[in-house]
Amino acid sequence: FFFFKQKTAYEISLGLVGSEMCIRDRAGFITRSDLGPMKIPTLEQNFGAAPTGYVPGSGRGALPFTREEIPGGEVDRGDYSETVFDKWNGYQGSLVANIQYDEEDDQADKVYSKLDEYMDGRRSEAREKKMKGEIESARKKKPPVSHIFASCKKDLAKITKEEWEGLPETPNYTVKRKKYNRVMPIPDSIINQAINDVQYTGSIDSRVSGMSSKVPATPLTEVSLAKGQILNVRLAQAEDSVTGQSVVNKNTYLENLGISTAEFSQSETQDLKKARLLMRSIIATKPNDPAGWIAASRIEELNGRLQEARNILAQGCVECPDSDDLWLEASRLSPPDKCKSILAKAISQQPHSVKLWLSAANKETDQIAKGKILRRALEYIPSSPSLWKEAVKLEGPEEAKQLLRKAVECVPFCVDMWLALAKLETYEEAKVVLNRARIAIPTDHIIWIHASMLEEAQGVGVEAIDLKIKRCIKTLAKAQVKLAREAWLMEAVKAEQAGSLLTCRAIVKGSMDIDVDPDESKTVWLQNATDACEKGAIETARALYFEASNRLPQKKKVWLKFFDFERQNGTKEQLISRMQKALEQNKRNSIFWLLYAKQLWINGDVEGCRKVLNESKELLGNEEEIVLALIKFERQNQNIEKVVTLVKEGRAAIGSVKLWKQNILMEQALKNYSVARELLMQAVVQHPTVNQLWLLGIRLEMEENRDIEKARELLAQANKACGEQPELCIASAKLYIKEGSYTSARTILQDARQKYKSNEIIWLESVRLEMKADNIKIAVFLLSKGLQECPKSGKLWAEAIMLEPIHLRKPKSADALKVCDQDENVVVAVACLFWAETKVEKARKWFSRAIGYKPLNGDPWAYYLSLIHI
């Protein structure tokens, strides 16, 4: 939107503008210069006279300037003096308060708000960038405490538990103001009154000894005698309540009573008193609530007043005779000789309480007496599974069988008792028991699974067990019982732990499609197998992989996961059988042929490997991967003639870069340089943009004739065909280095560094060039600059470690490990440091670590083999 200031009384000068000049050139047209200056008309000439009573600007809400101009009288304009003006809020009232807000005003506000948003959005990026820069600069000047101590926090992870517990406690350095007790002098009248009133009257609570006794007035100095009297009374009471003791040790009677001897602080004592008062009020208001009686007794027990707790519970049992928890609490706190009588009284009050019967049975040490109590309890409560289970545990096999037969009649919904009875019966009787259990509890899957396990124990085939599990799932579905997939897999794990592998596989097979989306089935099945393997359920995982491969036979990922699983957890025969099955399902996929042949080779079956590779070549034709595998296999078995034939046939049929390289390298190894050169020329004609072929030709020329000029010609042709590439620049520099022309090589590498700043190989070759030229300082400078461009380059860090003096190599290696601790080059450099210090075991560990990071890199293997053969 563009807004222009309105111009009034605009007068055109005598000069002409461009548009007027164009108009002037027309034939017969009179310009402004011919007429002279324009006369400005008045308002009356343009619009006529104003109507009577018209006030200018009244339509926009403006008011007249004088009172005489007000048509209806005076109007309050407000106070707009300096006393009520504020720089931020303006005057007290709005200058446009009397103007109506119409649609045009609303539209204008929307336009201006959109303009503000647009302008603010244009500046937001610069503002945010500026703000981030200010924050970063502020953090650099004054970093937060968390960043300062970040390294210290990382080191805390290495501290052992013993070191942590051995840290000294931090002393308290806070300055505390010393509190002074203000002492006011006591008036003489108070002192005289205390001397006259030196005696007092004390009494012992009747709850302590069961009697009330008044103590005569005693001086304050004899308070200790009163304490001794109270202690003697309590000891006598404790002696009466302890069974089997005629003499009570006054020093240990609290331990014999099982009361805590911990001393309470003054605040804890006050809390106990408050809690005691609260519990008494609860008991008084709700005497029929057993929880209040139990809480009150617990408080007294905590305070060491055991007899008081017993009295409270006895009173509570009178008030709440139907609370089994209250009776159990009373039996817990009562002496051993009174415990049985309390439980007997409780059972007489509540003969149908399972808790009371079980507690009474547990108090008995004689098995026969315990069995009698449980049988008596079953007469009152025949529908309690807990009582039946406890009674069965005490009996022998035959008696237990009789009890379980009666139990399943009284409690037909208890699965555990049905299963226990089936275990004690013979095979035929167990089948009858499980069938009865299935009828009694049609919604439980455990019975079906145990029936399958029973059939498996008798040697029944896989088909029958699979059919039984399928029937189980269908029956549960009809009863509208649906188990989650995780629950079925857990049952499969339990069956595996019980040794029923066929049942485990049947459960996995039957539950494969439960809660699984067809589009996500592969992911779900593989994740379930991985989880089962992590839990140690190997057979469950194997069953999951087996069923997944049967349902998705064309999925390569499923088979590869299955192969990895069998390599780690199975035998060689199992792995071979899985590969054969995968090959039957995917005969047109070369990866399965290669994996199968490789496994046969690892197992030592050379002829079998050759047979598989030849079959795959006949079936798939001249496929590059198969041909390369055959060449490698024959080369390992020293069958050179076969290798030559395969290479020539493969090159002629396929013509890929790999096969051309194989043919050239083979001829070079056989010292047939002329043939290799001819093959190279043919290869670069077919693949002119592959720099590896050109580099192979350069190496061939240098190895055969050491003809640098010829090699340089090939390099020029390579640059023309492939363009300038880092590998070609390095090859060119190496040619100049062999000639001894370090200056030319330095120039080429310098240009390459400018073009490929992040190429670590170019930086490394530049450093090694300066090392050969004995320019150590320049080499160090280039190395530091290369680490700035490639801060995570393991090769440059390894070279930097070796360039340092001997006493500085360890700190440099520590810096390198912080940046790239999993780089095989850095790890090899550290291992070489230990090797130089004759720390062979440490060097061996570090070489092994480097091999683990990148096993296909030959440098760690070479160093490791050199260390072993020393």
Side-chain angles (χ1 to χ4, degrees):
F1 298 90
F2 298 93
F3 298 91
F4 300 96
K5 183 178 178 182
Q6 183 179 3
K7 294 184 179 181
T8 58
Y10 180 79
E11 184 176 353
I12 302 175
S13 64
L14 295 178
L16 296 177
V17 296
S19 59
E20 291 176 341
M21 292 174 68
C22 296
I23 297 170
R24 184 198 59 186
D25 295 335
R26 295 184 181 180
F29 190 84
I30 301 173
T31 61
R32 177 64 63 184
S33 59
D34 299 330
L35 298 177
M38 183 181 67
K39 295 181 179 180
I40 302 173
T42 63
L43 294 174
E44 293 182 356
Q45 292 176 353
N46 285 335
F47 303 104
T52 306
Y54 170 74
V55 178
S58 61
R60 301 189 301 274
L63 296 175
F65 296 99
T66 62
R67 292 186 179 181
E68 290 74 10
E69 297 176 0
I70 300 173
E74 294 186 359
V75 176
D76 186 11
R77 298 177 182 274
D79 187 7
Y80 299 111
S81 61
E82 296 295 333
T83 58
V84 296
F85 179 75
D86 184 72
K87 291 183 179 181
W88 179 258
N89 295 321
Y91 294 95
Q92 291 180 351
S94 175
L95 292 173
V96 292
N98 297 326
I99 301 176
Q100 295 183 356
Y101 189 81
D102 54 7
E103 294 182 358
E104 293 181 356
D105 296 328
D106 182 55
Q107 185 177 4
D109 290 340
K110 290 180 179 179
V111 169
Y112 279 109
S113 63
K114 289 182 179 179
L115 272 173
D116 292 339
E117 291 177 2
Y118 173 72
M119 296 302 294
D120 187 65
R122 291 178 59 185
R123 295 188 293 268
S124 62
E125 184 176 355
R127 186 170 59 252
E128 291 176 359
K129 187 176 181 181
K130 182 180 178 182
M131 187 180 298
K132 288 181 180 178
E134 292 176 354
I135 293 171
E136 290 178 359
S137 62
R139 286 181 177 174
K140 287 180 181 179
K141 292 179 181 178
K142 189 177 180 181
V145 179
S146 59
H147 291 182
I148 296 173
F149 294 98
S151 59
C152 299
K153 287 183 179 180
K154 290 180 181 179
D155 295 337
L156 285 176
K158 304 176 183 177
I159 296 178
T160 61
K161 184 178 180 182
E162 292 76 11
E163 293 175 348
W164 178 261
E165 293 177 350
L167 292 175
E169 295 293 337
T170 305
N172 189 2
Y173 292 106
T174 57
V175 179
K176 295 184 179 179
R177 294 182 179 179
K178 187 176 181 180
K179 294 182 179 180
Y180 297 95
N181 295 326
R182 295 182 179 181
V183 179
M184 300 295 293
I186 301 175
D188 295 340
S189 59
I190 296 176
I191 296 174
N192 294 331
Q193 184 180 356
I195 294 172
N196 295 329
D197 195 15
V198 71
Q199 296 178 345
Y200 78 100
T201 301
S203 63
I204 300 175
D205 193 354
S206 59
R207 291 177 296 176
V208 176
S209 60
M211 61 182 180
S212 176
S213 62
K214 293 293 182 179
V215 180
T218 308
L220 289 172
T221 56
E222 298 179 0
V223 173
S224 60
L225 298 176
K227 290 184 178 180
Q229 186 179 1
I230 295 172
L231 183 60
N232 289 331
V233 173
R234 289 188 177 180
L235 286 173
Q237 181 184 357
E239 183 178 3
D240 295 337
S241 64
V242 178
T243 304
Q245 295 184 4
S246 59
V247 178
V248 179
N249 186 356
K250 296 182 180 181
N251 296 324
T252 60
Y253 84 101
L254 291 176
E255 287 81 1
N256 293 335
L257 290 175
I259 302 174
S260 174
T261 59
E263 295 182 359
F264 295 101
S265 63
Q266 186 176 1
S267 61
E268 292 174 343
T269 305
Q270 294 295 330
D271 293 340
L272 287 172
K273 289 180 180 179
K274 291 179 182 179
R276 186 182 294 113
L277 291 174
L278 179 62
M279 289 299 106
R280 286 180 180 176
S281 64
I282 291 174
I283 291 170
T285 55
K286 295 182 179 180
N288 295 325
D289 187 6
W293 295 98
I294 294 173
S297 66
R298 294 280 176 89
I299 291 173
E300 299 299 338
E301 181 186 5
L302 181 64
N303 199 19
R305 304 172 64 181
L306 189 61
Q307 186 59 38
E308 185 66 23
R310 293 171 183 167
N311 296 336
I312 291 172
L313 289 173
Q315 188 178 355
C317 290
V318 174
E319 296 291 338
C320 308
D322 297 333
S323 174
D324 50 0
D325 293 332
L326 196 56
W327 285 105
L328 291 173
E329 188 71 12
S331 66
R332 185 182 68 83
L333 292 181
S334 62
D337 58 342
K338 295 182 180 180
C339 179
K340 294 182 181 179
S341 61
I342 291 175
L343 288 173
K345 187 177 180 181
I347 290 172
S348 65
Q349 294 287 336
Q350 298 186 59
H352 296 284
S353 175
V354 177
K355 293 181 180 179
L356 293 175
W357 283 107
L358 290 175
S359 180
N362 292 330
K363 295 294 181 182
E364 296 291 342
T365 56
D366 186 12
Q367 298 294 327
I368 297 175
K370 189 175 182 178
K372 288 181 180 179
I373 293 174
L374 291 173
R375 289 177 182 271
R376 182 70 173 170
L378 288 172
E379 293 179 2
Y380 286 95
I381 319 171
S383 61
S384 173
S386 302
L387 292 174
W388 283 108
K389 290 178 182 179
E390 292 294 329
V392 168
K393 289 179 182 179
L394 299 175
E395 304 297 339
E398 293 299 327
E399 293 80 3
K401 190 187 298 184
Q402 297 298 328
L403 279 175
L404 286 171
R405 287 174 180 172
K406 183 68 176 176
V408 295
E409 294 177 1
C410 297
V411 193
F413 57 84
C414 184
V415 178
D416 295 336
M417 287 190 288
W418 284 106
L419 297 178
L421 180 58
K423 289 180 180 179
L424 294 175
E425 296 285 358
T426 60
Y427 171 65
E428 297 297 334
E429 292 295 331
K431 288 173 62 177
V432 175
V433 169
L434 291 175
N435 286 329
R436 288 173 56 198
R438 220 164 41 228
I439 295 171
I441 315 172
T443 59
D444 197 284
H445 62 285
I446 304 294
I447 300 171
W448 289 90
I449 293 174
H450 278 266
S452 300
M453 295 169 67
L454 178 65
E455 297 290 344
E456 183 179 353
Q458 296 298 318
V460 180
V462 180
E463 292 79 7
I465 295 174
D466 290 345
L467 181 61
K468 192 174 289 294
I469 296 297
K470 287 181 181 179
R471 286 180 57 196
C472 168
I473 296 173
K474 289 182 179 179
T475 305
L476 293 176
K478 288 181 180 179
Q480 296 182 352
V481 177
K482 184 179 180 181
L483 266 72
R485 178 174 180 78
E486 290 75 13
W488 282 111
L489 293 178
M490 188 59 67
E491 294 298 332
V493 172
K494 291 179 181 178
E496 178 185 353
Q497 293 172 353
S500 302
L501 301 183
L502 296 181
T503 304
C504 169
R505 294 166 189 167
I507 294 172
V508 171
K509 183 178 180 180
S511 61
M512 285 294 286
D513 297 326
I514 296 177
D515 297 337
V516 176
D517 188 359
D519 296 334
E520 300 179 356
S521 58
K522 181 180 72 173
T523 305
V524 173
W525 292 338
L526 293 180
Q527 185 61 43
N528 291 150
T530 304
D531 295 341
C533 190
E534 290 176 355
K535 295 177 183 177
I538 303 301
E539 290 300 327
T540 304
R542 181 175 282 113
L544 284 165
Y545 280 123
F546 183 80
E547 293 300 327
S549 62
N550 285 341
R551 298 180 193 291
L552 303 172
Q554 306 299 326
K555 296 294 182 179
K556 181 175 69 174
K557 185 177 180 181
V558 175
W559 286 110
L560 294 179
K561 288 280 187 181
F562 201 1
F563 297 161
D564 292 337
F565 171 79
E566 292 295 354
R567 285 192 191 97
Q568 297 176 3
N569 304 287
T571 61
K572 294 179 180 179
E573 291 75 13
Q574 288 176 326
L575 178 58
I576 290 296
S577 64
R578 307 303 179 206
M579 288 183 172
Q580 289 175 348
K581 187 175 180 181
L583 198 57
E584 291 176 1
Q585 300 290 337
N586 302 274
K587 289 187 176 181
R588 305 299 303 181
N589 196 331
S590 61
I591 187 67
F592 294 107
W593 287 100
L594 295 174
L595 289 173
Y596 184 34
K598 183 179 180 180
Q599 190 60 39
L600 291 174
W601 190 7
I602 292 172
N603 293 345
D605 189 0
V606 178
E607 293 300 327
C609 177
R610 181 181 284 112
K611 182 180 178 181
V612 169
L613 289 174
N614 289 327
E615 288 179 1
S616 64
K617 188 172 180 298
E618 292 177 0
L619 180 64
L620 302 177
N622 291 317
E623 192 166 341
E624 183 181 4
E625 294 180 354
I626 300 295
V627 174
L628 290 173
L630 263 172
I631 293 170
K632 182 179 179 181
F633 172 76
E634 298 296 346
R635 187 189 297 115
Q636 291 290 334
N637 290 280
Q638 302 297 323
N639 195 351
I640 305 300
E641 295 181 357
K642 185 67 175 177
V643 171
V644 173
T645 305
L646 288 171
V647 168
K648 290 181 178 180
E649 291 178 355
R651 176 181 57 78
I654 301 171
S656 64
V657 176
K658 290 183 178 180
L659 286 170
W660 277 107
K661 287 177 64 178
Q662 289 283 341
N663 200 351
I664 295 168
L665 291 173
M666 183 191 65
E667 298 295 340
Q668 186 180 358
L670 295 175
K671 306 296 182 180
N672 298 328
Y673 295 111
S674 59
V675 178
R677 191 180 293 107
E678 292 177 2
L679 291 173
L680 178 64
M681 292 297 105
Q682 297 176 15
V684 295
V685 169
Q686 292 188 9
H687 306 281
T689 59
V690 179
N691 58 8
Q692 296 177 2
L693 295 173
W694 293 103
L695 294 174
L696 189 60
I698 294 170
R699 190 175 70 181
L700 180 63
E701 292 295 337
M702 294 299 297
E703 182 178 347
E704 180 187 3
N705 301 322
R706 298 189 180 274
D707 190 351
I708 295 177
E709 293 299 328
K710 184 65 175 177
R712 191 171 284 116
E713 290 178 5
L714 285 175
L715 187 59
Q717 295 177 12
N719 286 324
K720 190 179 294 184
C722 305
E724 292 187 1
Q725 295 182 1
E727 294 82 4
L728 297 177
C729 293
I730 294 171
S732 178
K734 286 183 178 180
L735 290 177
Y736 281 111
I737 291 172
K738 286 186 178 181
E739 285 182 341
S741 180
Y742 293 143
T743 304
S744 300
R746 188 178 291 113
T747 304
I748 292 172
L749 291 175
Q750 185 176 359
D751 294 340
R753 288 198 305 271
Q754 292 178 357
K755 291 181 180 179
Y756 312 102
K757 292 183 179 181
S758 60
N759 192 306
E760 59 179 359
I761 305 298
I762 293 176
W763 286 102
L764 185 62
E765 292 296 332
S766 300
V767 172
R768 289 177 178 174
L769 170 62
E770 300 301 336
M771 291 292 294
K772 288 181 181 180
D774 293 331
N775 297 326
I776 306 299
K777 292 183 178 180
I778 298 176
V780 172
F781 172 75
L782 287 174
L783 190 56
S784 61
K785 206 168 182 182
L787 287 174
Q788 291 177 1
E789 297 292 340
C790 310
K792 294 187 178 181
S793 173
K795 294 181 179 180
L796 293 178
W797 276 109
E799 194 72 19
I801 292 171
M802 294 304 173
L803 272 179
E804 292 290 336
I806 296 175
H807 64 283
L808 296 177
R809 288 181 180 178
K810 284 189 177 180
K812 195 70 174 181
S813 62
D815 296 339
L817 288 172
K818 288 180 182 178
V819 178
C820 42
D821 59 334
Q822 294 186 357
D823 190 275
E824 69 278 5
N825 299 288
V826 175
V827 177
V828 166
V830 175
C832 290
L833 293 181
F834 288 119
W835 191 1
E837 295 176 358
T838 65
K839 297 179 180 179
V840 180
E841 288 300 325
K842 285 189 176 181
R844 183 179 286 112
K845 289 180 181 179
W846 282 84
F847 282 132
S848 301
R849 180 177 168 184
I851 292 170
Y853 288 149
K854 199 167 184 180
L856 297 180
N857 191 344
D859 292 345
W861 286 104
Y863 280 108
Y864 189 54
L865 291 174
S866 300
L867 178 66
I868 291 174
H869 290 299
I870 289 179

